[in-house]
Amino acid sequence: MSRQAHTTNRFLLLISFLALVLCYGTLSSASEPSKTVPTIVFMTDFGTVDDSVAICRGVMYSIAPEVRIVDLTHQVTPFSILDGARFLYGATPYYPSGTVFVVVVDPGVGSTRKAVVVKSKHGQYFVLPDNGLMTLVQDRDGIESARDITNRNWMIGAALSSTFHGRDIFSPVGAHIAHGEDWTAVGPELDVSKLVRLDITSAKLDERGLSGEVIATDGPFGNLVTNISGDDFLKLGYSRGQTAHIALGKNEMDIPFVRTFSDVPLNKPLLYIDSRGHLGLAVNQGSFAGTYGVKPPVTVFIPRAKN
């Protein structure tokens, strides 16, 4: 064999070896399960005009630098525990077991209300004030256990602020849990039945029709959110395209029930089943709340459809 042929064979062997190494490395990395990044979902009524949210995020990152923080919203209506409970109810089904929700909607900050960690039966953790924020999630998912936050080693500051527990208590505790520390170290176990609950009135269906309540507006659009489930509304016998006569507070209106906003002309009202499965009232490319001067809470009554 010539020296040139020998050199060529050695080169081909080297290329084959490198190809095998690269192939093995690719297969090995593909076969290894990807490590789940710990996630904190953060919600407050702080707004974003000052540094409060950024400070809380900094506290979390200083304890758990590997964590991923998702901002659910920081525009909860100030002091509205119901809005906070409603947003938690809407968001939690889309996050996996192990997700930590840090929620600071806390009009009772600095009072005798407890700061708690709650674990749902879906394996999600909730770090929040015990003021009713868990009501809707508890009714749907159930609660496995709850603990009072008393471990000072999981808080920050030699003297805790009386007005910024989001920074001093809820953020560091949420970060310790997301970091993989034993959540039971946060403090003593609580009786789940003693957790504070919101007094939420359920919609009522009877032979006359359906009585409910407008409980909120839908973000910047001014759509009305009710406590009436779409399933209950459909039991009244309405078909899409049919008009319903509605008593909204002291006012009465005839509004068509449709699939989506563009099914009615611009600036006209409509009834629809919203993305969370509840009856909503809207104006096509307008604000129902602004157009009709509606400010929740407002009663709603819808009679049964006429055959």
Side-chain angles (χ1 to χ4, degrees), residues 152 156-160:
R152 293 296 292 256
I156 67 168
L160 294 177

Side-chain angles (χ1 to χ4, degrees), residues 63-249:
I63 294 168
E66 78 283 7
V67 77
R68 169 177 52 193
I69 301 174
V70 177
D71 293 302
L72 198 164
T73 180
H74 299 292
Q75 305 301 139
V76 175
T77 304
F79 318 119
S80 177
I81 298 168
L82 176 58
D83 270 4
R86 187 168 60 88
F87 295 147
L88 269 184
Y89 178 86
T92 47
Y94 301 98
Y95 288 88
S97 173
T99 300
V100 179
F101 292 83
V102 175
V103 184
V104 192
V105 181
D106 193 15
V109 62
S111 69
T112 57
R113 69 93 183 95
K114 292 182 181 296
V116 298
V117 180
V118 178
K119 184 178 181 182
S120 76
K121 290 184 178 179
H122 282 185
Q124 296 172 330
Y125 298 91
F126 299 82
V127 184
L128 34 64
D130 179 26
N131 59 11
L133 284 164
M134 286 298 300
T135 302
L136 298 176
V137 173
Q138 179 178 4
D139 288 347
R140 182 190 61 206
D141 299 343
I143 292 177
E144 180 179 309
S145 58
R147 289 184 175 267
D148 191 4
I149 300 174
T150 60
N151 185 349
R152 293 296 292 256
N153 293 327
W154 280 25
M155 305 177 194
I156 67 168
L160 294 177
S161 166
S162 296
T163 58
F164 201 179
H165 287 182
R167 175 194 66 191
D168 294 349
I169 298 176
F170 300 117
S171 292
V173 168
H176 279 289
I177 296 171
H179 194 51
E181 298 177 51
D182 180 3
W183 82 283
T184 64
V186 74
E189 190 166 8
L190 294 170
D191 183 348
V192 169
S193 68
K194 298 293 178 62
L195 292 175
V196 174
R197 290 182 52 84
L198 294 176
D199 184 13
I200 297 176
T201 303
S202 299
K204 181 181 178 182
L205 180 66
D206 59 26
E207 65 279 357
R208 294 176 53 247
L210 188 55
S211 301
E213 187 174 79
V214 174
I215 59 173
T217 56
D218 182 13
F221 298 107
N223 304 333
L224 303 188
V225 179
T226 75
N227 66 344
I228 298 171
S229 73
D231 289 340
D232 278 348
F233 172 75
L234 293 174
K235 291 175 183 176
L236 296 177
Y238 289 97
S239 301
R240 285 185 169 85
Q242 191 172 356
T243 296
H245 185 75
I246 293 180
L248 184 61

Side-chain angles (χ1 to χ4, degrees), residues 287-299:
S287 167
F288 196 107
T291 300
Y292 297 101
V294 178
K295 185 177 180 180
V298 177
T299 58

